[in-house]
Amino acid sequence: MIKRFLLAVYVGLLCVTATCLGNTVENKTENRNDNPIARYDPTKPQRAFTHSHNKIRYWIFLPQKYGIEQREWPLVMFLHGAGERGKGLESLRQNVQINFLQPTQSVDELNELPFIVVAPQCPAKQHWIRSQIRGVLDEVLQFCSIDMKRIYLTGHSMGAFGTWKFASTYPDLFAAIVPVSGGGQTAVVKNLIDIPTWAFHGEKDTVVPPRRSTSLVNVLKIVGGDAKVTLLPKLGHSICRETYSRPELWQWLLSKEKSSDIRMSYAGTAE
């Protein structure tokens, strides 16, 4: 009787142990499958995703050595202008390649892209919504190996307006920002005092007047911010190539670090 009882207890313990181990393996598998970066070869430089909550689509451009070198990488988020809203992911990829990646990688030190690039796509007939941008950023921060102290934001035209506004809403996120051909309400600068800012604008811009950049930079400097603006002579609104191909811009940007890490709040799925 005692032997049968002990045998029953032993079998019961085996069943409980097997169930626990099964759950552990299942949970690990689920966690691994929840990571979209884990579902493809990390040496591939491009991949499109859809955010799991707000359905914003975006591209990730990874350094060739991502996943090979065990390290945390700086991250640059690029916000496009109004012309690329809702045109599809391939159109967005071409826009990012032409307006950001090609001029950036023309700089000798950056030809192998020493940082991760995230480029969300704004939906059609909409301006950049800060909560949507934050959702994409938090999702990428959760799944990629990011240096949390070296996260940067830049954008052109409507994307520059979004850069000013988004950085002002979440001032603890970014180590530095680079708005190009943009502007915004002067109230945004009150939260930007601790964020190094370098704005660019074409002197002949008839779409967004240069004063939209210079006024914000001037106010930011008055209140004690670290800000400057470069006006490009004889150039109009489209100045991405002339801006992002400047070695001194990247030397300045990548030298900036936040004093502390940031928090994340979202999770997401791959497209």
Side-chain angles (χ1 to χ4, degrees), residues 26-82:
E26 183 178 353
N27 289 338
K28 288 184 177 179
T29 302
E30 287 178 357
N31 291 336
R32 183 172 65 251
N33 290 337
D34 283 343
N35 186 344
I37 298 298
R39 290 204 291 271
Y40 76 104
D41 183 352
T43 63
K44 293 181 180 178
Q46 304 172 6
R47 182 69 192 272
F49 294 89
T50 298
H51 188 269
S52 60
H53 298 304
N54 58 38
K55 304 306 178 184
I56 294 295
R57 298 188 295 180
Y58 59 96
W59 279 95
I60 294 179
F61 301 84
L62 295 175
Q64 291 183 352
K65 295 181 180 179
Y66 182 88
I68 299 174
E69 293 184 356
Q70 299 302 313
R71 54 172 289 193
E72 294 180 337
W73 297 84
L75 181 143
V76 179
M77 174 173 270
F78 174 75
L79 303 181
H80 64 73

Side-chain angles (χ1 to χ4, degrees), residues 128-189:
W128 288 111
I129 296 177
R130 288 162 286 184
S131 60
Q132 292 177 336
I133 304 173
R134 177 65 192 261
V136 169
L137 181 60
D138 282 352
E139 182 166 283
V140 173
L141 294 181
Q142 180 172 353
F143 292 131
C144 290
S145 181
I146 306 295
D147 183 345
M148 298 293 196
K149 297 180 180 179
R150 300 176 70 197
I151 300 172
Y152 310 102
L153 180 63
T154 185
H156 173 251
S157 191
M158 185 186 79
F161 280 84
T163 296
W164 285 106
K165 185 178 293 186
F166 185 46
S168 177
T169 304
Y170 302 106
D172 295 331
L173 281 174
F174 301 105
I177 64 172
V178 181
V180 181
S181 302
Q185 302 296 322
T186 54
V188 302
V189 305

Side-chain angles (χ1 to χ4, degrees), residues 32 57 63 76 81 95 99 110 116 147 154 177 182 190 195 202 204-205 213 229 236 243 255:
R32 183 172 65 251
R57 298 188 295 180
V76 179
N95 174 269
N99 289 320
L110 304 178
I116 295 171
D147 183 345
T154 185
I177 64 172
K190 65 182 180 180
I195 303 179
K204 302 296 184 181
D205 191 344
S213 287
V229 59
T243 298
S255 70

